[in-house]
Amino acid sequence: MKAFAKLLKYELKTLLHDPMNAFMLFYPVMMLLIMGWLLPAILDRSGAASNARTITLLIGFVVAISLGGYMMGALLGFSLLENKDEKTLWSIAVTPITVAGYAWFKAAYAFVFAFLGNLVMTGGLKLFFADAYAVEYGGATIGLLDGISYFQIVVFSLVSSIIVPFIGAVFAGVARNKIEGFAFVKGGALIVMIPMLALLDSLAGWKQYFLGIAPNFWPVKALLNLSLSTSNPADLNFWWYMLVGTLY
């Protein structure tokens, strides 16, 4: 336990000096400012029509809540690949921590960052930019964040962050180096964007479950239903989406 405490102390000490750690720290704030301030400001200045504004903000909202866990998982994978490239895992293997223990530590570390990052992005949008996400939908003006409670944001952040160890393990286990890892990141982003298709009317109702192959579909769909106040008989309630997402 003391060895892991020292490892945590080292990671926190190099938080701003290591590029990976620095990106994990600033990414949620950057996304919050882009999605909460910059995107609505651009739409307002461009004089976008009501429908265009609604569609753009909906897509931006789904992107923001879809990418948090994936990005932290990808950074975890890159960090482990860097250890593999630099052969530092050989040194770790002969320490009391062991390679498996180190991998679990890094996964837990990235998971915490993903959880906090999702809280900052989603909770920050509701806290600071809720008015900017008022859109015309179904013939009425709705606030995309008005129907979501802060407790539900915490639960969403927790469930959507569980994907982090999976993404990191796939990238680090399959890719032979950081170049291959970067290719996996680009390909994996296509899968992570699958929940965006839930915005299509053709994939409403029972057809939405075709999208369930993407692990992040379940928590994202739960939040999207709350945002749009949908009442399709084929929809699950918030907690069932979260349960399936957790088990998956």
Side-chain angles (χ1 to χ4, degrees):
M1 188 60 70
K2 289 183 178 179
F4 288 109
K6 289 181 179 178
L7 190 57
L8 177 61
K9 184 178 179 180
Y10 170 78
E11 292 287 350
L12 294 176
K13 189 176 180 180
T14 61
L15 199 58
L16 296 178
H17 300 289
D18 181 73
M20 295 282 185
N21 284 335
F23 186 80
M24 290 169 74
L25 186 63
F26 291 113
Y27 172 79
V29 178
M30 179 184 70
M31 285 295 291
L32 174 63
L33 293 176
I34 290 174
M35 296 301 179
W37 173 72
L38 184 60
L39 181 61
I42 291 173
L43 292 173
D44 291 340
R45 289 196 176 190
S46 66
S50 178
N51 286 343
R53 189 178 191 280
T54 297
I55 293 171
T56 304
L57 287 178
L58 275 172
I59 292 174
F61 178 67
V62 175
V63 168
I65 63 178
S66 296
L67 281 180
Y70 176 77
M71 289 301 300
M72 297 306 173
L75 288 172
L76 169 63
F78 272 118
S79 178
L80 294 175
L81 283 172
E82 186 175 34
N83 292 143
K84 188 159 61 172
D85 286 350
E86 296 177 355
K87 307 256 186 318
T88 53
L89 291 178
W90 294 3
S91 301
I92 294 170
V94 297
T95 67
I97 294 177
T98 75
V99 173
Y102 177 75
W104 276 110
F105 168 81
K106 294 291 284 188
Y109 183 75
F111 170 82
V112 171
F113 265 93
F115 172 67
L116 295 176
N118 280 316
L119 277 180
V120 169
M121 286 189 291
T122 313
L125 282 176
K126 179 175 175 64
L127 183 62
F128 299 111
F129 302 108
D131 291 343
Y133 274 76
V135 300
E136 295 290 333
Y137 186 82
T141 301
I142 62 170
L144 292 180
L145 301 158
D146 292 347
I148 306 172
S149 70
Y150 286 108
F151 179 68
Q152 288 168 329
I153 289 175
V154 171
V155 174
F156 163 80
S157 300
L158 183 65
V159 174
S160 62
S161 299
I162 297 175
I163 196 175
V164 168
F166 167 71
I167 296 295
V170 169
F171 286 176
V174 178
R176 289 175 294 184
N177 50 54
K178 286 187 286 186
I179 296 175
E180 284 190 5
F182 185 69
F184 278 112
V185 169
K186 293 193 292 184
L190 296 176
I191 297 176
V192 175
M193 288 294 100
I194 285 178
M196 191 181 298
L197 298 176
L199 294 171
L200 301 175
D201 291 337
S202 58
L203 286 171
W206 63 269
K207 294 179 182 177
Q208 67 181 282
Y209 299 111
F210 289 127
L211 307 177
I213 190 173
N216 64 328
F217 162 79
W218 303 93
V220 169
K221 178 61 175 174
L223 221 59
L224 193 57
N225 284 353
L226 292 176
S227 298
L228 300 177
S229 301
T230 57
S231 57
N232 194 298
D235 287 342
L236 303 176
N237 67 32
F238 175 84
W239 300 107
W240 277 110
Y241 278 115
M242 290 300 171
L243 177 61
V244 175
T246 300
L247 294 176
Y248 189 20

